[in-house]
Amino acid sequence: TSAPLNKSVSRYENKMAILLNLNAKCVTPAVIQTAREMIGSEHVFVTRTEEESHVVTRRIVELGYGLVVPTGGDGTLCSVINSVVAARDALRSRDGGDDFTVMPLPKFAFLPLGTGNGMGSLVGPQIRGRRRTQKTLTLLTQLLSQQQRTATALPTIRVPMMEISAPNPEVNRKLCFFAGAGFDSLMLNDFRALKCWSVRRNVLKGLLSG
């Protein structure tokens, strides 16, 4: 059996909601305007903080959107997936469901417009900014409109995720695409510091352009 859902679910099950992370370097006013023009302002959600994202994802789950499109980097994608799962579980619990109650998650598409876009290589060509937004949203709109299909009928690829938990039982379990000890972040921070130093000293600038 399914937990009771908002009565407006049928209005949104074949609609897409796009989440735009303002901290992503390629999410510009032009990209936001393009999204609003193409799918309508009511389906475009702009956030800057993780707290705002949690509020938005809960609303998206309550409305029953069939397709969710996070826009940003790999971190944005992972964060939105976790927020949607948490919102779904909270809604299921609120409506009297339990861990065995069936309440399917929406499908996810991805607009890789952030700094780290490793997942972008799985979902399409590396086109940046407004052009990529137009191309992706046009394709998704066409797919959804074909025979008035719902998002559940969209062609998808399966991407495995890991579930990790902290020693503290009060910390919720998280899903992620990869995990590590943080040495990659230390190396990246060191590289950025070295680039800043080279710019200030005008040394090795040509070799540190990555």
Side-chain angles (χ1 to χ4, degrees):
T1 60
S2 297
L5 293 177
N6 190 300
K7 292 182 179 180
S8 62
V9 164
S10 60
R11 289 180 51 208
Y12 294 91
E13 63 183 355
N14 65 338
K15 301 289 186 181
M16 77 176 88
I18 180 169
L19 283 81
L20 294 147
N21 178 9
L22 288 176
N23 298 309
K25 67 178 184 180
C26 292
V27 174
T28 63
V31 167
I32 296 172
Q33 183 61 29
T34 296
R36 287 171 173 163
E37 290 173 355
M38 295 190 67
I39 67 173
S41 297
E42 68 173 308
H43 307 301
V44 177
F45 303 88
V46 180
T47 65
R48 187 179 295 278
T49 67
E50 191 170 6
E51 289 73 20
E52 292 175 352
S53 179
H54 291 330
V55 173
V56 165
T57 51
R58 184 177 182 88
R59 179 62 176 162
I60 286 172
V61 171
E62 288 177 340
L63 289 173
Y65 277 94
L67 181 64
V68 178
V69 188
T71 301
D74 293 339
T76 298
L77 174 61
C78 194
S79 177
V80 170
I81 290 174
N82 277 288
S83 292
V84 168
V85 171
R88 187 277 307 267
D89 291 346
L91 183 61
R92 180 170 56 186
S93 176
R94 184 198 70 182
D95 289 339
D98 53 33
D99 290 342
F100 301 99
T101 301
V102 176
M103 186 181 289
L105 292 169
K107 299 290 186 182
F108 290 93
F110 181 42
L111 263 173
L113 299 177
T115 301
N117 296 308
M119 293 301 297
S121 61
L122 292 177
V123 296
Q126 296 301 303
I127 306 171
R128 292 288 185 150
R130 187 184 182 101
R131 183 181 167 208
R132 174 154 201 160
T133 302
Q134 291 173 325
K135 186 179 181 70
T136 301
L137 295 183
T138 297
L139 175 61
L140 291 173
T141 301
Q142 291 173 346
L143 287 171
L144 285 171
S145 65
Q146 289 175 5
Q147 301 177 348
Q148 296 184 334
R149 64 165 67 181
T150 64
T152 56
L154 291 175
T156 60
I157 59 173
R158 288 183 176 272
V159 180
M161 298 186 74
M162 297 183 292
E163 186 178 57
I164 60 174
S165 59
N168 185 351
E170 295 183 0
V171 177
N172 294 330
R173 292 174 296 178
K174 298 291 185 181
L175 298 172
C176 62
F177 298 109
F178 60 89
F183 293 114
D184 54 339
S185 297
L186 291 175
M187 293 174 64
L188 180 59
N189 288 337
D190 186 67
F191 177 69
R192 286 174 173 169
L194 185 59
K195 283 183 64 176
C196 291
W197 173 84
S198 71
V199 170
R200 291 196 304 269
R201 298 297 182 90
N202 197 28
V203 177
L204 301 176
K205 291 175 62 177
L207 299 177
L208 297 172
S209 58

